[in-house]
Amino acid sequence: MTDHVNSYYAATAHRKDARPPLRGGIEADICVIGGGFTGVNAALELAERGRRPVLLEAVKIGFGASGRNGGQIVNGYSRDLDVIAKRYG
Ligand SMILES: Cc1cc2nc3c(=O)[nH]c(=O)nc-3n(C[C@H](O)[C@H](O)[C@H](O)COP(=O)(O)OP(=O)(O)OC[C@H]3O[C@@H](n4cnc5c(N)ncnc54)[C@H](O)[C@@H]3O)c2cc1C
């Protein structure tokens, strides 16, 4: 299986360009494994701090839980929507 599951993420993702497999060697400061929220954010934060990360994803960006979730901000089960809206917009 190499396609995203039928999800909101798959339907609305902006970048659909294929990223070819890594062939040969590559130099980087840090290797991040996995292109979900965790890996993509880690790579972005590293790049913004002047490091040269390489992100390796086995299938495609958002292929795992990050491309399948419900998109809900669960900010503690006792929070009402107005509290969440005030905090996150
Ligand atoms: C059905 C569902 C609904 C959810 N709903 C919500 C929600 O409403 N709100 C919420 O906050 N959270 C929700 N979650 C949880 C949330 O989606 C996850 O906690 C989050 O996406 C995890 O992100 P991640 O980057 O850690 O993992 P993932 O998104 O799973 O990313 C891991 C990536 O690593 C790749 N990978 C694995 N092994 C290798 C390897 N050896 N080499 C290279 N790449 C590899 C995988 O292909 C995958 O792309 C939900 C999860 C699911 C499954």
Side-chain angles (χ1 to χ4, degrees):
M1 191 162 113
T2 56
D3 260 340
H4 289 118
V5 297
N6 190 13
S7 66
Y8 181 80
Y9 173 83
T12 59
H14 295 296
R15 309 259 328 241
K16 300 223 179 201
D17 45 320
R19 293 177 174 84
L22 176 64
R23 305 218 185 272
I26 189 170
E27 291 217 4
D29 294 329
I30 296 152
C31 180
V32 178
I33 310 282
F37 286 137
T38 309
V40 168
N41 189 63
L44 178 63
E45 294 274 338
L46 287 163
E48 286 176 350
R49 284 161 175 73
R51 302 301 180 102
R52 288 181 314 141
V54 61
L55 175 68
L56 298 181
E57 163 55 46
V59 187
K60 58 172 59 173
I61 298 295
F63 183 76
S66 300
R68 302 164 192 244
N69 73 48
Q72 289 139 3
I73 300 172
V74 183
N75 190 40
Y77 287 99
S78 61
R79 299 282 184 274
D80 288 332
L81 198 55
D82 61 326
V83 176
I84 296 173
K86 203 152 118 190
R87 195 170 288 173
Y88 299 107

